[in-house]
Amino acid sequence: MTRKYLALVCALLLVLLCGCAPAAPVADDTYDDMIVVGFSQVGAESDWRNANTRSMQQALSEQNGYRLILDDAQQKQEKQITAIRNFIHQGVDYIVLAPTTEKGWDTVLAEAKSAGIPVIIVDRMIEAEDDSMFTCWIGSDFRKEGDEAVAWLEKRFGDEALRIVHLQGNIGSSAQIGRTEGLDHALAEHPQWELVYRDTGDFTQAKGQELVEALLARNVQFDVIYSENDNMAYGAIDALKKAGLQPGKDVTIISFDASHRALELVMAGEISFDVECNPLHGPRVQAIIEKLEAGGKPPKLTYVEESTFDAATITREIMDGRGY
Ligand code: GZL
């Protein structure tokens, strides 16, 4: 039962019992029969993020019975915390959080819990005092993604020595943590693999290009770029081309997300291997809310199925049928 319906029932009971009508609710009555969802989104830093936002907007649309209040935090946790407090003040029915990082959510999630507002976490994971701080989580297994990438490198290069440049995502995000763990595990397993450089490119194309240009300017030698998302890989490719190097040939490029633009580069042989990280959480969140509205209990944690792509497996049919 939505909070507004409950308020209406209470109001009617009040009128019947004492013949007086309570002050009209503050909320805008245009949306009274809609489910109001406050969505705190990380930002707009990547193709993945924009596809994720579009998916949420398409699913939680007015014609589907939702009023979606979207807040873009520009990759800053403090902006997300402010947004969640605003959602609580506005009395939304649900809060959806795509968290920038894993830590630092307990205080504001306790406030949402005290306000009786269910919180659905999407994409990256959070560390919580106890799991009653959020209703459920749906996202990716980032360590598995890293392991998939490493398995492809092992198959492609066997026991060859590799000099690896590692472009990390936002430090402290579970996407970065899991994908980095996958590579670190492999570096410990393969003494012939050398990590020649590691830094965060913040999941952005500009920073990815900047980091690789600086390496090339210092004449750092490397065989592989392990880029924790497609947009940093785009930047790395631009830097390599500016230096007269052929991405996918002179340097093997591993990437994550498998957005449409990246799969075009896989087909072109510039990105060597891309691990899917599926952003289409809109319909999944819609199904969770509908289950909750009907009094159901969604699973606490749901991992989405994901695939991988290289030149041997990608086809135009696959690319055009994926939705992002
Ligand atoms: C992963 C997601 C990451 C993507 C990046 O689920 O959090 O954030 O891999 C995005 O493209 O910026």
Side-chain angles (χ1 to χ4, degrees):
M1 182 187 293
T2 61
R3 298 154 44 80
K4 285 173 184 51
Y5 180 64
L6 202 59
L8 184 63
V9 169
C10 294
L12 289 174
L13 283 174
L14 209 53
V15 171
L16 290 172
L17 290 173
C18 56
C20 64
V26 172
D28 175 350
D29 59 8
T30 315
Y31 296 102
D32 265 3
D33 58 348
M34 289 194 166
I35 297 173
V36 183
V37 178
F39 177 31
S40 172
Q41 177 58 296
V42 166
E45 74 283 357
S46 66
D47 295 6
W48 188 100
R49 189 64 54 194
N50 296 333
N52 179 245
T53 297
R54 281 195 302 275
S55 175
M56 295 290 286
Q57 289 170 322
Q58 287 160 6
L60 306 181
S61 63
E62 289 196 9
Q63 68 256 35
N64 287 343
Y66 295 88
R67 178 192 178 200
L68 179 67
I69 307 170
L70 169 64
D71 179 87
D72 172 339
Q74 296 165 329
Q75 293 186 288
K76 291 179 176 51
Q77 180 178 36
E78 60 271 19
K79 287 179 180 281
Q80 291 199 286
I81 291 171
T82 301
I84 292 170
R85 289 192 168 124
N86 288 337
F87 295 151
I88 293 169
H89 177 71
Q90 290 168 282
V92 300
D93 296 307
Y94 293 89
I95 290 171
V96 178
L97 169 63
T100 44
T101 54
E102 291 198 347
K103 298 179 189 295
W105 301 102
D106 287 322
T107 302
V108 75
L109 291 183
E111 293 165 20
K113 186 178 174 185
S114 304
I117 302 175
V119 176
I120 299 164
I121 311 285
V122 295
D123 177 28
R124 302 171 185 174
M125 184 61 89
I126 63 165
E127 274 184 18
E129 257 168 28
D130 66 80
D131 69 8
S132 71
M133 305 302 276
F134 61 95
T135 300
C136 61
W137 169 88
I138 183 161
S140 302
D141 183 339
F142 301 107
R143 170 59 194 267
K144 181 170 180 278
E145 291 177 358
D147 291 343
E148 294 274 8
V150 159
W152 186 89
L153 279 174
E154 289 166 341
K155 190 171 155 212
R156 168 71 182 74
F157 291 104
D159 293 332
E160 281 180 53
L162 292 176
R163 296 163 298 185
I164 299 172
V165 164
H166 181 194
L167 305 180
Q168 295 179 290
N170 297 99
I171 300 300
S173 67
S174 35
Q176 174 271 311
I177 292 167
R179 292 167 188 166
T180 293
E181 281 175 354
L183 179 59
D184 281 346
H185 177 75
L187 288 166
E189 295 282 302
H190 298 279
Q192 79 279 21
W193 290 9
E194 179 192 357
L195 180 67
V196 296
Y197 178 79
R198 167 178 279 173
D199 198 351
T200 178
D202 289 334
F203 285 132
T204 67
Q205 180 168 347
K207 191 74 185 291
Q209 180 168 350
E210 181 190 313
L211 293 176
V212 175
E213 280 177 349
L215 290 173
L216 293 168
R218 297 204 315 269
N219 200 27
V220 174
Q221 300 299 304
F222 51 88
D223 311 293
V224 176
I225 293 177
Y226 182 97
S227 172
E228 291 186 353
N229 89 324
D230 289 336
N231 291 74
M232 293 189 294
Y234 304 152
I237 285 169
D238 289 345
L240 292 171
K241 287 182 172 176
K242 271 174 74 174
L245 294 169
Q246 291 188 67
K249 292 184 176 57
D250 299 322
V251 176
T252 295
I253 297 190
I254 303 293
S255 187
F256 296 82
D257 289 350
S259 61
H260 197 279
R261 183 165 44 146
L263 293 183
E264 292 283 3
L265 295 173
V266 171
M267 192 169 265
E270 295 188 6
I271 290 180
S272 312
F273 186 67
D274 208 328
V275 181
E276 178 184 9
C277 179
N278 192 290
L280 305 180
H281 292 316
R284 300 169 182 138
V285 169
Q286 183 185 2
I288 287 170
I289 290 175
E290 287 172 1
K291 188 170 195 130
L292 291 166
E293 286 288 296
K297 192 174 182 337
K300 194 70 182 178
L301 303 176
T302 303
Y303 288 92
V304 296
E305 284 298 310
E306 294 172 335
S307 186
T308 63
F309 303 96
D310 62 12
T313 55
I314 191 63
T315 65
R316 178 60 59 188
E317 188 189 4
I318 289 174
M319 281 170 54
D320 293 345
R322 294 177 68 247
Y324 75 101

